[in-house]
Amino acid sequence: MGDQEDNDPGMRLEARGRRVVVRVGGEMDIDRAPMLRAALHAAITQEGGPAEIVVDVAALSFCDSAGLNAFISARRTAGEHGRSISLRNPTPQFRRLLKLTGAEGLFPITQT
């Protein structure tokens, strides 16, 4: 799985050995959440795929419940496939969403 840029400029997948970094930007709402869900599902379930999926959300300006549901679904799928998923550089808005929904403990948070 090489570097890949989908039709949406707000999402990019970068393969790095046994790690895939998914960069997500812009607004993650009901219109874009299915695309995120599909991209994460493909990265997680790919045979011989990465052991670790890092979702860089530094450029995410907004996330609603549909977007959050895509992240939570990806976490569940990663666990079923023996893979890990973490969030990198969440914005204050996204951190608030995680805290308000009780989802803050579901994802390891990294800054690098």
Side-chain angles (χ1 to χ4, degrees), residues 1-56:
M1 179 180 187
D3 284 5
Q4 165 185 340
E5 190 163 344
D6 294 333
N7 293 332
D8 187 336
M11 187 176 312
R12 181 173 173 84
L13 278 72
E14 301 170 3
R16 311 253 176 181
R18 298 288 297 150
R19 172 191 280 184
V20 167
V21 177
V22 181
R23 297 183 190 281
V24 181
E27 296 186 359
M28 187 53 58
D29 56 20
I30 196 164
D31 293 329
R32 293 185 63 225
M35 180 183 54
L36 174 63
R37 182 185 304 265
L40 291 174
H41 187 269
I44 293 165
T45 61
Q46 177 183 3
E47 192 169 324
E52 180 182 7
I53 295 87
V54 177
V55 186
D56 189 324

Side-chain angles (χ1 to χ4, degrees), residues 11 24 28-42 44 53 55 57 60 63-78 85 87 94 97-98 103 106-107:
M11 187 176 312
V24 181
M28 187 53 58
D29 56 20
I30 196 164
D31 293 329
R32 293 185 63 225
M35 180 183 54
L36 174 63
R37 182 185 304 265
L40 291 174
H41 187 269
I44 293 165
I53 295 87
V55 186
V57 292
L60 190 64
C63 184
D64 69 6
S65 61
L68 179 60
N69 191 33
F71 288 109
I72 293 171
S73 176
R75 179 188 177 271
R76 186 176 315 116
T77 302
I85 187 166
L87 302 175
F94 193 68
L97 177 64
L98 292 173
L106 296 178
F107 300 94

Side-chain angles (χ1 to χ4, degrees), residues 90-105:
T91 63
Q93 186 273 335
F94 193 68
R95 282 184 181 268
R96 264 192 315 277
L97 177 64
L98 292 173
K99 185 172 183 172
L100 288 171
T101 60
E104 65 187 335

